[in-house]
Amino acid sequence: MQKDFVREITAMDEDFAQWYTDVVKKADLVDYSSVRGSMIIRPYGYALWEMIKDELDTQIKKTGHQNVYMPLFIPESLLQREKDHIEGFAPEVAWVTHGGSEELTERLCVRPTSEVLFCEHYKNIIHSYRDLPKLYNQWGNVVRWEKTTRPFLRTLEFLWQEGHTCHATDEEAHEETTKMLNVYGDLLENILAIPVIKGQKTEKEKFAGAKFTYTVESLMHDGKALQSGTSHHFGDGFAKAFGIQYTDKEGKLQYVHQTSWGLTTRVIGAMIMVHGDDRGLVIPPKAAPIQVMIVPVAQHKEGVLDFAYDLKETISTYARVDLDASDKKPGWKFNEYEMKGIPIRLEVGPKDIEKGQVVLARRDTGEKIFTPIEDIESAIIKLLDEIQHNLYQKALQLREEKTTKAINMKEFKETLEKRSGFIKAMWCGDLECEEKIKEETGATSRCIPFEQEEITKECVCCGKKAESMVYWAKAY
Amino acid sequence: MQKDFVREITAMDEDFAQWYTDVVKKADLVDYSSVRGSMIIRPYGYALWEMIKDELDTQIKKTGHQNVYMPLFIPESLLQREKDHIEGFAPEVAWVTHGGSEELTERLCVRPTSEVLFCEHYKNIIHSYRDLPKLYNQWGNVVRWEKTTRPFLRTLEFLWQEGHTCHATDEEAHEETTKMLNVYGDLLENILAIPVIKGQKTEKEKFAGAKFTYTVESLMHDGKALQSGTSHHFGDGFAKAFGIQYTDKEGKLQYVHQTSWGLTTRVIGAMIMVHGDDRGLVIPPKAAPIQVMIVPVAQHKEGVLDFAYDLKETISTYARVDLDASDKKPGWKFNEYEMKGIPIRLEVGPKDIEKGQVVLARRDTGEKIFTPIEDIESAIIKLLDEIQHNLYQKALQLREEKTTKAINMKEFKETLEKRSGFIKAMWCGDLECEEKIKEETGATSRCIPFEQEEITKECVCCGKKAESMVYWAKAY
């Protein structure tokens, strides 16, 4: 019976893209609508986002940031104030031209990101060094006019948080950029069990208007990379374009130094593609809205449901637990909660009750553990920990298996022809080589990692003196 | 010094509208931007919204609802599917006509509300009676193209939650409509300390597309009414327009019965206008992001700041507390936190420490209470309760003072000429009388209250047989 059900989704190794589409639909994460390129996030998908949001919001507040809310619309003239920024974003914004039956005198774009709105506001409220730093964050929706879209990974509209901060000095802004990249790294590694490479984007790949961009990059099951969160140091570029100045302690006018950083619903896609398998989703316990699902067996037999409800109440004091007491068959329920990636399934039937035990089934390994009733609490707590740890380790191992060094273009290409994955290779720093590598291999520079190593002394592409080691990959 | 500061905002009785504008700005709730009619919600304003959101979200989940997320855009053809709905909303939507540099083949409106998106989705996912009820809610932003706007009360874009549910029967949908109105009523009365009148909107005032609309109405300090939350019973009107059907237990196809209900950032405006005074905001303790603000006096003296920090740590175990240890003068801080409406100011200086006491200053009454250090916890807990209760009672008293019965149009007009407020008057149920009353007095029907009383037997306007008693008022 389980096998039949599994056939409902395409096997990962057969067609990974189709597997992904099947899973997000079958696990009830999303639905489509008549709005091209947008998705409906269904209750289970949204619960995942709420888990991530709550965790990240706590960290954002702990690090001294405050939430605010900026308008959805940006007048065209405001968007144009910073030259690189408008060049980067203009091709992909949605334009509002009419309000009710009136044509607008100036078009409004639907925010693709809110730098210019924050800048305008900062100019209003920052006057003195006493007003600094300003550490703001916003949770909201943004729109980018994408041609090809996929749920969570790339959609016309997506949900995210965008932090925007102002500092007295370049050093402080730099420190902030690093701090928030680490907050993202911790979220991904500790909560979503996704190992990350931290590093800096190349000039070509940095954010439009930034001095530099830091990124956390992760590797999916199919060997393609996914940019999972970025943190930008703006220097004083926006400050100069918007005239955001403060009077320092000596009474001198200075420009502020700014950062921005964002993390989106995309990380749900990362979680799916890093941990999922042919049975569906696998959710790391710390990110799971439901950690333990109780499935009663022969629930019509006297005492089974009462027992299950009591269990649920007890377990709810130390884990996120639910009970499916519907009249669907246990086999259907097993499949359903495997598809949804619930970390632990707790099975209990009349015979278990007689023997004073329950069955704990691990989603990640499939292992079934017969557990005496008096040991349930310690067993569940231990198991959740183990699953979390195991998922991270598996993902790390996969990434290591799919990470290869290349010392010349031949190696580079041959490796990527065999399989996708990270290629570590030296780079001279020239745009020309970066573009040539992309053209010849399909791989883009993912980041210049903070943890450098010297593979050779020469650029993998042109053979000239190398500046740094770069992670390259085909990417989402 | 405090007097000088108070002069910074207009007195309420001099110009209430100006007072409101002054307060939202001076208390750092909002700022303006170059986006016409939209507002920036600043950290303190957003913290208020987060308090309301968290509380309401808890109640929404407790009553069995799940959060989802629908697209921001609605294709024009989809919006047109329910006739009354499009007629009601078309004049006030923003239209996206271009994506990037391309003109769209079909215009997209920025959602003014999401009924049609939910309906389209419900048609996809509801098939059997087993799929019912569906109890969904969404937190998000919506846009309505308003001409005249005021922060929180009426803005082009606002934040809200919108619940959308499907039920097997009309009775269940009716029950849901009532249940969620009560959730709103409880939030307003118990958390925001705003007494409400619950009732039904007239045909003229009901939601576009609804069978009927329930509302909670409250009265502001200036005697104008504010609709603070609405809950709509749709019957099967949308279900028929969208073909949302399920197979019942007998195997027969049936239409679902639907509701929707929404509460917006507007309630922050209500809170301001019900409780505020000439010194600024007054926030009810249960809605206050900061309930106790510690202001050290002579903080440069040895031991004062240490003492204040210790206090903060202790108090944080039972109340939301903050400490202002900046080098601003205590007088400035007193004014600042009065303007922000913090329920309790705790003053402590060297002499207080010597005497083993602190001063607790109530924002609502101005009373100062010398409190022995060992009694602080019980005093604060008691005081927060008292302030919450007092604010509700004061608001209730104000509403009662400003509620008058009218038995004929002369009385109706004379009362409203003297002062704004609720007028309770009988109504025949005819649109003509409702419109005439509005034309002659400026008052609109606020609701047909559930708690009816028979003032006379005749309509206040036409003198014909009355159908019900109605609350009338000039309104925001």
Side-chain angles (χ1 to χ4, degrees):
Chain A
M1 178 163 185
Q2 294 192 343
K3 277 200 175 165
D4 286 346
F5 191 73
V6 169
R7 274 190 215 118
E8 286 187 40
I9 62 171
T10 307
M12 296 177 91
D13 293 339
E14 194 178 301
D15 183 345
F16 191 74
Q18 189 57 48
W19 170 84
Y20 181 81
T21 310
D22 288 353
V23 165
V24 295
K25 198 74 169 47
K26 287 281 174 201
D28 294 339
L29 297 183
V30 300
D31 195 17
Y32 300 96
S33 72
S34 59
V35 192
R36 183 192 78 77
S38 295
M39 62 178 164
I40 292 168
I41 309 181
R42 300 190 63 185
Y44 191 51
Y46 200 79
L48 287 174
W49 180 237
E50 284 185 320
M51 292 296 301
I52 293 166
K53 195 170 178 254
D54 288 351
E55 176 64 31
L56 184 54
D57 193 59
T58 302
Q59 296 308 322
I60 286 172
K61 284 174 177 156
K62 253 193 202 159
T63 44
H65 302 83
Q66 297 178 298
N67 285 335
V68 299
Y69 189 77
M70 292 283 155
L72 174 68
F73 297 138
I74 303 173
E76 188 164 14
S77 55
L78 186 64
L79 190 65
Q80 288 169 336
R81 291 271 283 278
E82 209 286 337
K83 195 181 58 64
D84 292 337
H85 192 62
I86 176 78
E87 268 178 29
F89 281 104
E92 56 180 57
V93 297
W95 292 104
V96 173
T97 57
H98 290 73
S101 52
E102 269 172 47
E103 187 167 352
L104 306 184
T105 50
E106 179 180 14
R107 301 198 297 179
L108 301 172
C109 91
V110 183
R111 63 178 169 216
T113 178
S114 307
E115 271 73 13
V116 296
L117 294 165
F118 275 90
C119 283
E120 188 185 40
H121 180 51
Y122 281 140
K123 182 179 163 53
N124 275 344
I125 63 166
I126 293 172
H127 309 289
S128 144
Y129 69 92
R130 289 170 192 269
D131 299 324
L132 294 174
K134 278 278 179 274
L135 307 172
Y136 286 174
N137 176 63
Q138 165 170 291
W139 290 96
N141 54 345
V142 288
V143 169
R144 295 180 189 175
W145 207 260
E146 305 282 358
K147 301 271 179 207
T148 323
T149 60
R150 301 182 67 192
F152 297 118
L153 300 177
R154 198 171 290 276
T155 43
L156 272 198
E157 180 194 6
F158 57 85
L159 304 183
W160 76 343
Q161 61 63 224
E162 46 179 321
H164 295 267
T165 67
C166 289
H167 307 265
T169 65
D170 190 83
E171 293 69 38
E172 278 176 42
H174 194 149
E175 202 181 296
E176 168 83 4
T177 314
T178 308
K179 184 196 284 173
M180 297 322 289
L181 189 82
N182 287 333
V183 165
Y184 292 159
D186 290 349
L187 175 81
L188 282 151
E189 299 206 319
N190 302 336
I191 308 295
L192 306 184
I194 299 175
V196 297
I197 306 285
K198 293 178 191 172
Q200 182 171 338
K201 286 282 183 190
T202 61
E203 279 297 298
K204 177 176 184 294
E205 300 286 336
K206 75 175 186 186
F207 182 82
K211 186 171 148 189
F212 61 74
T213 290
Y214 287 164
T215 180
V216 278
E217 298 282 328
S218 48
L219 201 71
M220 305 297 104
H221 184 89
D222 65 345
K224 281 168 81 175
L226 189 98
Q227 173 183 309
S228 306
T230 47
S231 184
H232 318 290
H233 188 323
F234 286 150
D236 57 8
F238 277 92
K240 283 180 174 161
F242 284 83
I244 314 171
Q245 287 183 292
Y246 70 96
T247 311
D248 70 12
K249 286 186 185 168
E250 282 74 45
K252 268 181 62 182
L253 262 185
Q254 304 281 3
Y255 285 104
V256 301
H257 300 263
Q258 293 176 274
T259 82
S260 86
W261 27 275
L263 182 134
T264 81
T265 31
R266 208 166 200 226
V267 293
I268 296 175
M271 190 162 57
I272 298 167
M273 293 196 294
V274 168
H275 303 302
D277 63 23
D278 282 343
R279 311 187 77 78
L281 290 180
V282 180
I283 308 292
K286 287 192 183 167
I290 302 166
Q291 297 172 313
V292 180
M293 177 57 83
I294 303 174
V295 178
V297 178
Q299 64 183 48
H300 58 281
K301 294 261 171 84
E302 209 194 312
V304 173
L305 273 183
D306 284 346
F307 191 86
Y309 276 111
D310 283 351
L311 266 183
K312 183 186 166 187
E313 205 175 310
T314 315
I315 296 173
S316 73
T317 59
Y318 55 85
R320 293 184 289 275
V321 59
D322 205 351
L323 161 65
D324 186 344
S326 72
D327 57 5
K328 286 162 184 157
K329 294 199 174 136
W332 184 94
K333 294 179 188 175
F334 287 8
N335 287 329
E336 173 73 5
Y337 302 118
E338 285 188 350
M339 182 61 75
K340 291 207 155 116
I342 314 279
I344 299 175
R345 179 179 70 239
L346 189 156
E347 304 167 20
V348 61
K351 283 184 193 156
D352 298 310
I353 297 174
E354 230 178 85
K355 290 187 195 161
Q357 66 175 28
V358 300
V359 179
L360 300 178
R362 283 177 73 151
R363 174 62 182 87
D364 60 338
T365 59
E367 191 189 351
K368 283 191 171 201
I369 302 146
F370 292 86
T371 309
I373 283 164
E374 60 274 22
D375 296 343
I376 294 180
E377 176 167 352
S378 60
I380 286 180
I381 291 173
K382 184 164 152 271
L383 215 44
L384 290 174
D385 247 20
E386 271 180 37
I387 297 171
Q388 184 79 26
H389 180 75
N390 177 48
L391 289 177
Y392 181 84
Q393 287 304 324
K394 268 171 74 177
L396 188 62
Q397 200 187 327
L398 183 96
R399 187 185 79 189
E400 279 168 7
E401 281 167 18
K402 296 195 183 224
T403 301
T404 321
K405 293 175 190 173
I407 57 165
N408 56 43
M409 285 305 280
K410 185 165 169 286
E411 249 186 44
F412 200 128
K413 279 186 251 183
E414 279 175 4
T415 306
L416 277 190
E417 270 158 27
K418 266 184 288 177
R419 63 141 184 257
S420 289
F422 278 132
I423 305 278
K424 299 201 281 189
M426 303 307 290
W427 179 51
C428 61
D430 281 356
L431 176 63
E432 211 175 305
C433 286
E434 192 178 358
E435 282 177 339
K436 194 172 167 196
I437 290 172
K438 185 177 177 188
E439 207 185 289
E440 294 189 5
T441 70
T444 52
S445 71
R446 303 317 305 154
C447 71
I448 307 161
F450 297 146
E451 275 185 35
Q452 280 287 313
E453 58 188 285
E454 193 182 79
I455 299 168
T456 63
K457 292 193 182 304
E458 298 83 31
C459 175
V460 71
C461 182
C462 67
K464 284 185 200 150
K465 189 172 178 303
E467 225 174 41
S468 48
M469 186 269 278
V470 170
Y471 274 90
W472 311 83
K474 289 178 184 166
Y476 280 97
Chain B
M1 179 166 185
Q2 294 192 342
K3 278 201 177 164
D4 286 346
F5 192 73
V6 169
R7 274 189 218 116
E8 286 188 39
I9 62 170
T10 307
M12 297 177 93
D13 293 336
E14 194 177 302
D15 182 345
F16 191 75
Q18 189 58 48
W19 170 84
Y20 181 82
T21 310
D22 288 354
V23 165
V24 296
K25 197 74 169 49
K26 286 282 175 199
D28 293 339
L29 298 183
V30 301
D31 196 15
Y32 300 97
S33 73
S34 59
V35 192
R36 182 193 77 78
S38 295
M39 62 177 165
I40 292 168
I41 309 181
R42 301 190 63 185
Y44 191 50
Y46 200 79
L48 287 173
W49 180 236
E50 285 185 318
M51 292 295 301
I52 293 166
K53 196 169 175 255
D54 288 352
E55 175 65 31
L56 185 54
D57 193 60
T58 302
Q59 295 308 323
I60 285 172
K61 284 175 177 155
K62 253 194 202 159
T63 44
H65 301 83
Q66 297 178 299
N67 285 336
V68 299
Y69 189 77
M70 293 282 154
L72 174 67
F73 296 139
I74 304 174
E76 189 164 13
S77 55
L78 186 65
L79 189 66
Q80 288 170 336
R81 290 273 282 279
E82 209 288 335
K83 193 181 59 67
D84 292 337
H85 192 64
I86 176 79
E87 268 178 29
F89 281 103
E92 55 180 58
V93 297
W95 291 104
V96 173
T97 57
H98 290 73
S101 52
E102 270 173 48
E103 187 168 354
L104 307 184
T105 49
E106 180 180 13
R107 301 198 298 178
L108 301 171
C109 92
V110 183
R111 63 179 169 218
T113 179
S114 307
E115 271 73 13
V116 298
L117 294 164
F118 275 89
C119 284
E120 188 185 40
H121 180 51
Y122 281 140
K123 184 181 161 55
N124 275 345
I125 63 166
I126 293 172
H127 308 290
S128 143
Y129 69 93
R130 289 170 193 269
D131 299 324
L132 295 174
K134 278 276 180 275
L135 307 172
Y136 285 176
N137 176 64
Q138 165 169 288
W139 290 96
N141 54 344
V142 287
V143 169
R144 296 180 189 175
W145 208 261
E146 305 282 358
K147 301 272 178 204
T148 323
T149 60
R150 301 181 66 192
F152 297 117
L153 301 178
R154 198 171 289 279
T155 43
L156 272 197
E157 180 194 7
F158 56 86
L159 304 182
W160 76 344
Q161 61 64 223
E162 47 179 320
H164 295 268
T165 67
C166 289
H167 307 264
T169 65
D170 190 82
E171 293 68 38
E172 278 178 42
H174 194 149
E175 202 182 295
E176 168 82 5
T177 314
T178 307
K179 185 196 283 174
M180 298 321 288
L181 189 82
N182 288 333
V183 165
Y184 291 160
D186 290 349
L187 175 80
L188 282 152
E189 299 206 318
N190 302 336
I191 307 297
L192 307 185
I194 299 175
V196 296
I197 306 286
K198 293 178 189 170
Q200 183 172 337
K201 287 282 183 190
T202 61
E203 279 297 298
K204 177 176 185 291
E205 299 287 335
K206 75 175 187 186
F207 183 82
K211 187 171 147 189
F212 61 74
T213 290
Y214 286 164
T215 180
V216 278
E217 298 282 328
S218 48
L219 202 70
M220 305 298 103
H221 184 88
D222 65 345
K224 281 168 81 176
L226 189 100
Q227 173 183 309
S228 306
T230 47
S231 184
H232 317 292
H233 187 323
F234 285 151
D236 56 9
F238 276 93
K240 283 181 174 161
F242 284 83
I244 314 170
Q245 287 183 293
Y246 70 97
T247 312
D248 68 12
K249 285 185 185 168
E250 281 73 45
K252 267 181 63 181
L253 264 186
Q254 304 281 4
Y255 285 105
V256 301
H257 300 263
Q258 292 177 276
T259 82
S260 87
W261 27 275
L263 182 136
T264 82
T265 31
R266 211 171 194 221
V267 293
I268 296 175
M271 189 160 61
I272 298 166
M273 293 197 292
V274 167
H275 302 304
D277 64 21
D278 282 343
R279 311 186 79 78
L281 289 180
V282 180
I283 309 292
K286 287 192 183 166
I290 302 166
Q291 297 172 313
V292 180
M293 177 57 84
I294 303 174
V295 178
V297 178
Q299 65 183 47
H300 58 281
K301 294 262 172 81
E302 209 194 314
V304 173
L305 273 183
D306 285 345
F307 190 85
Y309 277 111
D310 284 350
L311 266 182
K312 183 185 167 187
E313 205 176 311
T314 315
I315 296 173
S316 72
T317 59
Y318 56 86
R320 293 184 289 274
V321 59
D322 206 352
L323 161 66
D324 186 344
S326 71
D327 57 6
K328 286 162 183 156
K329 293 202 173 133
W332 184 94
K333 294 180 189 174
F334 288 7
N335 287 328
E336 173 74 4
Y337 302 117
E338 285 189 349
M339 182 61 75
K340 290 203 157 123
I342 314 280
I344 300 175
R345 180 179 70 239
L346 188 157
E347 304 167 20
V348 62
K351 281 183 193 159
D352 298 309
I353 297 173
E354 231 178 83
K355 290 186 195 161
Q357 67 176 30
V358 300
V359 179
L360 301 178
R362 283 177 72 152
R363 173 62 182 87
D364 60 338
T365 60
E367 192 189 351
K368 284 192 169 201
I369 303 148
F370 292 86
T371 309
I373 284 164
E374 61 273 22
D375 297 343
I376 293 180
E377 176 167 352
S378 59
I380 285 180
I381 291 173
K382 186 164 150 271
L383 215 44
L384 291 173
D385 247 19
E386 271 179 35
I387 296 172
Q388 184 79 26
H389 180 75
N390 177 48
L391 290 177
Y392 181 83
Q393 287 304 324
K394 268 171 73 177
L396 187 62
Q397 200 186 329
L398 184 95
R399 187 185 79 190
E400 278 168 8
E401 282 166 18
K402 295 195 184 223
T403 302
T404 321
K405 294 174 190 173
I407 57 165
N408 55 44
M409 286 304 282
K410 186 166 168 283
E411 250 185 43
F412 200 129
K413 278 185 250 181
E414 279 177 5
T415 307
L416 278 189
E417 271 159 27
K418 266 183 290 179
R419 62 141 184 258
S420 289
F422 278 132
I423 305 278
K424 299 202 281 189
M426 304 307 291
W427 179 50
C428 62
D430 281 356
L431 175 62
E432 210 175 305
C433 285
E434 193 178 356
E435 283 178 339
K436 195 172 166 197
I437 290 172
K438 185 176 178 189
E439 206 185 292
E440 294 190 5
T441 70
T444 52
S445 71
R446 302 318 304 155
C447 70
I448 306 161
F450 297 147
E451 277 186 35
Q452 280 286 312
E453 58 187 285
E454 191 182 79
I455 298 168
T456 63
K457 292 194 182 303
E458 297 82 32
C459 174
V460 70
C461 183
C462 67
K464 283 185 202 151
K465 190 171 178 303
E467 225 174 41
S468 48
M469 187 269 280
V470 170
Y471 274 89
W472 310 84
K474 290 179 185 166
Y476 281 97

